[in-house]
Amino acid sequence: MTDDTQHEDYLRDFYSEDRIAAFEKLSGEGYIGSQGQAVTEEIAPLLGLKEGDKVLDVGSGIGGFAFYLAKNFGVDVLCIDTSTEIVKAGRKRAALIDLGKGRVTFDKVDAMKVDYLPATFDVVVIRSTLLQFPFQKKAPTIGRAFEWLRPGGRLMLNDMCTVLGISFPELDDHMKKRRWYLLSLEENRQMVENAGFRSIEIRDRHEAYVRLIGEEIAQTDARREELLKDVPKNMYEDTLAHWKWKKSWAEKKAFTEFFILAEKPQ
């Protein structure tokens, strides 16, 4: 069985239609992961968007981030994801939302296999996605993003990274289960620079990440009875346990979250 086939099987099992609906109940409308809307509101003003810009959202999920950009900035967002069910869910939600002058479309494609014309997009966003790309696919993905951007276009990379020099071997099993392949912050920065990007800005979100996921855990705990009306108990408990695991290890600085904003030279 190839790595691609294993990944397809993983996505099909992990993101079934019912599980997507349950994740959205836990994470907030339009999202299937923690801190969705909070990070959206933090990232969006950094992108320098103007009406009519073309944005590529790699690993888009069900569209919460894209809908926010389209509605608030009047941009056209192309969302790509490798999960059939996620793309179907995103399309259903897009059909129900008034996006004003913006537009959001979804395609089921692999960023490593799709061919867009050079200089197609003004902004490429890779958010909470590259961590699940095997190490050998990370740099080529950033390189492709560079090619797809217009001169002066911007890359936003938002992801998790290890803290250089600190190793926690006991994390390996959970990392493998969740298919996390983490680089250090410096390795991510160097990868972006090697692809040709310049004007690289880095933001370490460690304090905000720990604070926000703690608030999310508390809110989810407080809404337990309400949420269990729509979310299977085992899924509720597994998701909450995963968030608590992330908070605990982030507090130990086993990993942290970051933004990298970079520009393709004119």
Side-chain angles (χ1 to χ4, degrees):
M1 183 180 293
T2 67
D3 288 344
D4 286 346
T5 301
Q6 288 180 330
H7 190 60
E8 286 284 341
D9 290 345
Y10 170 79
L11 290 175
R12 185 176 59 251
D13 294 340
F14 197 75
Y15 291 117
S16 65
E17 183 177 1
D18 289 344
R19 285 176 64 83
I20 288 170
F23 277 133
E24 188 177 22
K25 285 286 185 182
L26 292 166
S27 305
E29 186 175 353
Y31 298 96
I32 52 176
S34 64
Q35 303 188 42
Q37 187 61 30
V39 176
T40 286
E41 293 176 7
E42 200 174 337
I43 288 176
L46 305 177
L47 300 179
L49 295 170
K50 58 185 183 297
E51 188 176 311
D53 275 354
K54 308 294 184 185
V55 179
L56 178 65
D57 187 357
V58 179
S60 62
I62 61 175
F65 178 60
F67 300 145
Y68 182 90
L69 296 186
K71 188 172 184 177
N72 289 278
F73 296 91
V75 297
D76 291 348
V77 187
L78 173 58
C79 298
I80 63 172
D81 206 291
T82 54
S83 164
T84 300
E85 291 300 328
I86 282 177
V87 169
K88 284 169 58 178
R91 287 172 176 165
K92 286 180 182 178
R93 285 153 179 77
L96 300 174
I97 299 174
D98 179 4
L99 298 175
K101 294 182 179 180
R103 184 176 64 165
V104 174
T105 54
F106 287 82
D107 276 342
K108 180 191 176 299
V109 294
D110 186 332
M112 282 300 297
K113 296 178 180 178
V114 66
D115 288 318
Y116 297 118
L117 292 174
T120 295
F121 301 100
D122 299 287
V123 174
V124 173
V125 177
I126 308 176
R127 177 177 170 185
S128 300
T129 296
L130 206 65
L131 81 169
Q132 291 194 312
F133 282 37
F135 293 115
Q136 70 273 17
K137 292 187 176 183
K138 294 180 188 292
T141 301
I142 299 298
R144 289 168 74 82
F146 184 86
E147 293 299 321
W148 296 333
L149 280 166
R150 294 172 180 152
R154 296 166 300 284
L155 169 74
M156 169 58 79
L157 177 59
N158 166 222
D159 223 316
M160 307 298 294
C161 65
T162 62
V163 178
L164 191 62
I166 302 177
S167 177
F168 294 90
E170 60 266 44
L171 287 177
D172 285 352
D173 286 344
H174 197 88
M175 293 277 198
K176 289 176 182 177
K177 178 182 177 182
R178 289 284 173 167
R179 293 175 179 255
W180 281 20
Y181 308 97
L182 302 187
L183 300 174
S184 71
L185 183 54
E186 173 57 24
E187 287 169 329
N188 278 284
R189 187 205 65 76
Q190 189 65 56
M191 177 175 62
V192 170
E193 183 177 1
N194 289 346
F197 288 99
R198 298 296 181 262
S199 301
I200 299 171
E201 299 177 27
I202 299 174
R203 298 193 182 192
D204 185 336
R205 289 195 71 255
H206 181 262
E207 290 185 9
Y209 178 81
V210 172
R211 174 177 56 81
L212 287 170
I213 199 167
E215 292 173 0
E216 206 161 26
I217 290 167
Q219 292 165 4
T220 303
D221 264 333
R223 297 176 58 218
R224 175 186 173 88
E225 296 308 316
E226 173 194 348
L227 288 167
L228 287 176
K229 295 176 183 178
D230 300 299
V231 178
K233 184 177 179 181
N234 66 327
M235 189 171 173
Y236 171 91
E237 292 176 347
D238 286 349
T239 301
L240 199 60
H242 180 57
W243 290 356
K244 289 178 179 179
W245 174 88
K246 290 199 294 184
K247 180 177 182 291
S248 172
W249 284 103
E251 287 173 333
K252 299 173 187 175
K253 294 194 175 180
F255 48 76
T256 188
E257 188 182 25
F258 68 91
F259 296 159
I260 292 181
L261 183 64
E263 184 175 306
K264 180 175 181 175
Q266 293 280 358

